[in-house]
């Protein structure tokens, strides 16, 4: 800052200079909604396309099922038995209930506000269904499913299942206008360092933000991270750029601060993670580093080496 320049940016502002702040690099709009099984009517916001993987790593895919009302039914909607290997599926239940079980013995029910963090690792089969109670009663259902890649050295780790309950998440206060909850990773706000309960296999920050009032929101991210924002509802602006609802904004690299403007009631999922910098070979439900590893995964699945679920009603 020099004395002779006109007073464009007031020195008393707490805002960081533009160079320190992430801008929007590009926006991924929602695809047409499509059914995953018969339970999840989703927009796909990102998937592991070769041109995209380096800018979204360690994240791979994000499906968003916006709020939808389901009538009571004895039939439990969802997705039947299918395999995964080499990454993690993370399910955020914003409303409604999802029940899960897998061939590695993981399983449970997640309710509104809960997050299920499943590590497929070396491989398993699982099913993802509405809970019996939710099917019987019907109601509003809103969900996000995120795929998180595993580093090469962890792709064949034993499967792991984390059922994270809403009340476990540290509550965040971001300035005067927004609150949030911390799901994974560390963040420093107002000199206080907080840490989310999810165990992750590479460094990342995952948090939900909600604007209580119209206003600006600021938080730090790692300078080397890829940082993505999903606007579930409301209005979000970064710099001069408005993000359309149900879209995913991919922020520019390197800066250590994110500044957002949110309208009252807006809800944003923040994903920020260190890129893995490893080759991604994705095929259907398997995400590995090489073609040979994908072929091996298909052989192992077909030979039953990822297990099976026991028959149930
Ligand atoms: Mn699955």
């Amino acid at each position: 800052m020099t004395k002779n320049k006109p007073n464009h940016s007031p020195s008393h502002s707490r805002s960081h200079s533009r160079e320190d702040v992430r801008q929007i690099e590009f926006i991924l709009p929602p695809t047409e909604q499509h059914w995953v099984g018969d339970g999840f009517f989703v927009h796909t916001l990102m998937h592991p396309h070769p041109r995209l993987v380096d800018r979204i790593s360690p994240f791979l895919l994000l499906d968003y099922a916006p709020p939808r009302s389901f009538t009571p039914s004895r039939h439990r909607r969802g997705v039947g038995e299918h395999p995964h290997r080499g990454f993690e599926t993370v399910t955020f239940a914003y409303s409604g209930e999802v029940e899960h079980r897998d061939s590695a013995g993981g399983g449970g029910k997640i309710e509104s506000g809960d997050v299920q963090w499943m590590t497929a690792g070396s491989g398993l089969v699982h099913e993802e269904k509405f809970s019996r109670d939710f099917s019987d009663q019907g109601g509003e259902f809103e969900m996000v499913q995120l795929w998180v890649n595993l580093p090469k050295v962890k792709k064949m780790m034993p499967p792991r299942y984390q059922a994270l309950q809403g009340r476990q998440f540290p509550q965040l206060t971001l300035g005067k206008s927004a609150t949030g909850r911390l799901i994974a990773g560390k963040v420093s706000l107002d000199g206080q360092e907080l840490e989310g309960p999810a165990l992750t296999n590479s460094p990342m920050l995952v948090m939900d933000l909600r604007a209580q009032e119209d206003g600006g929101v600021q938080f730090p991210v790692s300078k080397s991270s890829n940082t993505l924002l999903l606007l579930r509802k409301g209005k979000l602006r970064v710099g001069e750029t408005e993000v359309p609802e149900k879209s995913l904004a991919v922020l520019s690299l390197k800066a250590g601060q994110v500044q957002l403007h949110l309208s009252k009631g807006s809800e944003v999922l923040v994903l920020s993670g260190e890129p893995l910098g490893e080759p991604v070979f994705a095929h259907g439900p398997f995400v590995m580093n090489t073609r040979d590893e994908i072929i091996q995964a298909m052989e192992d699945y077909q030979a039953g080496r990822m297990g099976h679920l026991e028959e149930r009603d």
Side-chain angles (χ1 to χ4, degrees):
M1 215 174 291
T2 57
K3 282 183 200 161
N4 301 332
K5 287 250 172 88
N7 194 18
H8 283 315
S9 49
S11 57
H12 60 262
S13 167
R14 286 182 64 235
S15 296
H16 289 247
S17 71
R18 196 175 166 86
E19 300 81 66
D20 297 335
V21 174
R22 300 276 182 134
Q23 305 297 322
I24 287 183
E25 190 165 310
F26 55 94
I27 292 173
L28 297 168
T31 59
E32 291 267 308
Q33 272 178 292
H34 59 97
W35 286 99
V36 176
D38 64 0
F40 309 103
F41 195 41
V42 304
H43 299 283
T44 296
L45 278 305
M46 62 179 179
H47 65 103
H49 187 283
R51 289 213 311 259
L52 196 56
V53 285
D54 288 342
R55 290 299 285 110
I56 62 175
S57 177
F59 310 107
L60 290 164
L61 175 145
L62 191 148
D63 276 346
Y64 177 45
R68 181 184 182 88
S69 185
F70 287 91
T71 53
S73 168
R74 283 300 292 164
H75 168 68
R76 289 176 58 216
R77 288 170 175 265
V79 195
E81 181 177 317
H82 61 280
H84 292 296
R85 171 181 281 179
F87 65 101
E88 303 181 296
T89 64
V90 183
T91 307
F92 303 74
Y94 290 103
S95 60
E97 297 179 352
V98 180
E99 219 170 296
H100 166 105
R101 61 191 181 110
D102 66 50
S103 56
K109 183 170 79 168
I110 56 163
E111 304 180 2
S112 301
D114 297 346
V115 174
Q116 175 208 87
W117 199 297
M118 188 202 76
T119 307
S122 60
L124 47 64
V125 301
H126 73 167
E127 64 172 24
E128 301 157 90
K129 296 259 174 110
F130 290 7
S131 71
R132 168 59 67 204
D133 285 351
F134 182 75
S135 295
D136 285 350
Q137 289 159 24
E140 189 183 79
F141 188 85
E142 180 186 6
M143 188 214 62
V144 164
Q145 187 168 85
L146 172 71
W147 289 13
V148 179
N149 206 359
L150 287 168
K152 186 178 168 62
V153 295
K154 294 193 172 173
K155 282 196 174 284
M156 295 299 278
M157 71 181 276
R160 183 165 75 189
Y161 180 85
Q162 301 176 69
L164 306 166
Q165 293 175 313
R167 58 180 156 75
Q168 287 178 260
F169 302 126
Q171 299 299 302
L172 308 174
T173 302
L174 296 101
K176 293 192 176 93
S177 62
T179 56
R181 54 187 210 148
L182 183 55
I183 295 159
K186 288 179 186 166
V187 67
S188 265
L189 294 169
D190 286 335
Q192 196 190 1
E193 181 153 287
L194 297 154
E195 185 167 11
L199 302 174
T200 68
N201 288 289
S202 64
M204 69 189 72
L205 171 66
V206 177
M207 59 185 180
D208 274 316
L209 305 183
R210 184 188 160 80
Q212 310 298 330
E213 300 294 339
D214 291 359
V217 173
Q218 181 167 324
F219 57 89
V221 291
S222 158
K223 289 193 171 191
S224 46
S225 65
N226 279 324
T227 298
L228 316 170
L229 307 172
L230 168 66
L231 177 62
R232 286 170 41 232
K233 65 174 174 191
K235 288 202 165 94
L236 162 65
R237 182 167 58 76
V238 182
E240 302 302 313
T241 310
E242 296 272 354
V243 178
E245 212 174 43
K246 297 173 192 163
S247 296
L248 190 77
V250 178
L251 302 187
S252 59
L253 295 169
K254 292 186 180 142
Q257 295 288 326
V258 177
Q259 277 178 5
L260 316 175
H261 291 270
L262 291 169
S263 66
K264 182 177 178 176
S266 297
E267 298 190 17
V268 174
L269 173 61
V270 178
L271 307 172
S272 181
E274 299 304 314
L276 298 178
E278 295 172 345
V280 172
F281 209 108
H283 185 82
F286 308 123
V287 183
M288 303 300 290
N289 301 111
T290 68
R291 183 187 171 82
D292 284 352
E293 289 167 348
I294 291 290
I295 292 167
Q296 185 66 53
M298 296 195 301
E299 283 177 10
D300 287 348
Y301 170 57
Q302 279 154 14
R305 287 191 284 267
M306 295 184 188
H308 288 288
L309 297 178
E310 285 167 31
E311 291 291 327
R312 215 167 66 171
D313 69 298

